[in-house]
Amino acid sequence: MPRKADPTKSGNNRIVASNRKARHNYSILETFEAGIQLVGTEVKSLRDGQASLADAFATVDDGEVWLRNVHIPEYHHGTWTNHAPRRNRKLLMHRKQIDQLIGRIRDGNLTLVPLSLYFSEGKVKVELALARGKEARDKRQDLARRDAQREITRELGRRAKGMT
């Protein structure tokens, strides 16, 4: 059984970057937590709170999961040993989890989307989501549903305060 990701569960977790557009563009089916293979200057840059998951995605190549297009800027105190900002980074998962992901991606026409990048007990983790892309009408329905819910709570608040 894959370990479910919940970066807000423990008090010593600090979210570095989150992909806010992912929940708008994709319907999230399941989430996973994975480690990420980094070099020293990348970790230092992440500790400064600098990263972007805007165009990021994950792929499975030759039985390994890779995180692509994540922008971690160069460490400002780094020297010639600095890292490339948009290099591909290997994700660390158990073989059984990877095999399950491969099967689900292939069978269900799904994709792997990173939702957040965070520290968990001193180690950098990424929250991955197994997701299906939304169509434009689905996005409009979600927006309409959210607006209706907001109006309902606003009206209930007015009634509770006796402003009606």
Side-chain angles (χ1 to χ4, degrees), residues 125-137:
K125 303 286 183 177
V126 62
E127 181 184 18
L128 281 178
L130 198 57
R132 178 172 287 125
K134 285 184 186 178
E135 295 179 9
R137 60 187 160 100

Side-chain angles (χ1 to χ4, degrees), residues 22-42:
R23 296 192 189 275
H24 178 71
N25 293 331
Y26 298 95
S27 56
I28 309 300
L29 304 177
E30 194 171 353
T31 59
F32 301 94
E33 180 181 59
I36 184 168
Q37 190 174 11
L38 299 172
V39 296
T41 55
E42 289 174 325

Side-chain angles (χ1 to χ4, degrees), residues 87-103:
R87 73 177 187 88
N88 297 334
R89 295 165 178 94
K90 186 176 177 181
L91 294 180
L92 308 172
M93 297 177 81
H94 293 284
R95 169 63 44 207
K96 188 182 282 188
Q97 288 179 325
I98 295 172
D99 291 341
Q100 286 176 348
L101 281 177
I102 290 171

Side-chain angles (χ1 to χ4, degrees), residues 16-17 34-46 50-61 63-75 81-93 98 112 114 116-118 124-126 128:
V16 176
I36 184 168
Q37 190 174 11
L38 299 172
V39 296
T41 55
E42 289 174 325
V43 176
K44 290 179 180 184
S45 188
L46 287 173
Q50 301 176 350
S52 174
L53 293 174
D55 301 324
F57 61 98
T59 59
V60 181
D61 298 329
E64 295 179 336
V65 184
W66 292 87
L67 189 60
R68 302 186 187 277
N69 218 13
V70 173
H71 185 264
I72 300 175
E74 290 184 348
Y75 183 57
T81 59
N82 244 333
H83 62 278
R86 286 204 184 266
R87 73 177 187 88
N88 297 334
R89 295 165 178 94
K90 186 176 177 181
L91 294 180
L92 308 172
M93 297 177 81
I98 295 172
L112 279 173
S116 63
L117 200 59
Y118 58 95
V124 179
K125 303 286 183 177
V126 62
L128 281 178

